[in-house]
Amino acid sequence: MKWLSHPYRPELGRSATSDEARHLRDMLDLVLFTAPNERPHRPDFGCGLNQLVFLGNSPELAVTVEMTVRSAVQRWLGNVLTIETLSVSAEDAVLRIDLDYRVRATGDVESASFARTVA
């Protein structure tokens, strides 16, 4: 099945599409980096990791992010994937999130990494 790509963009006169694996990664990105109250009809959606730009990077922050990420992914994507491993590391000004997850429909294990610079 084909899905609209995120972020939306035209490609050769049509809407760009992505496959199932890329779509799941796009959904993870949306859950992780959408701030609560950003979506009018779903104010509790997301976990707002972009707000971390204003916090200092520390091991405590990494533990907090790990709990926040696990909770948000289980809540919003628990019907399509299961978290296998989740690690969050804070090194210098970079917060890195590494996630291995199992796709419920196929049983395949996929990986995704996200990195953001925090002040």
Side-chain angles (χ1 to χ4, degrees):
M1 180 173 209
K2 294 288 186 179
W3 300 87
L4 286 177
S5 290
H6 170 75
Y8 177 82
R9 65 185 183 282
E11 186 176 87
L12 300 174
R14 355 182 122 164
S15 299
T17 58
S18 59
D19 60 4
E20 188 76 26
R22 180 64 198 184
H23 178 65
L24 284 175
R25 191 187 184 297
D26 290 345
M27 288 194 315
L28 280 166
D29 191 77
L30 284 170
V31 168
L32 296 179
F33 299 107
T34 298
N37 293 316
E38 186 175 326
R39 293 191 172 193
H41 298 290
R42 214 174 265 271
D44 53 344
F45 179 81
C47 65
L49 296 185
N50 283 336
Q51 297 169 348
L52 299 176
V53 171
F54 303 107
L55 301 176
N57 203 4
S58 67
E60 293 82 12
L61 177 64
V63 171
T64 302
V65 169
E66 184 173 342
M67 290 174 34
T68 303
V69 167
R70 187 175 298 277
S71 172
V73 170
Q74 287 176 347
R75 178 173 183 193
W76 296 107
L77 298 176
N79 60 332
V80 291
L81 59 88
T82 304
I83 296 175
E84 294 288 317
T85 61
L86 172 64
S87 67
V88 177
S89 60
E91 299 167 4
D92 296 328
V94 177
L95 183 69
R96 176 173 296 285
I97 301 163
D98 295 310
L99 179 67
D100 293 329
Y101 57 91
R102 183 174 304 277
V103 180
R104 287 187 185 260
T106 62
D108 296 340
V109 176
E110 303 284 338
S111 297
S113 290
F114 305 92
R116 292 293 192 263
T117 302
V118 294

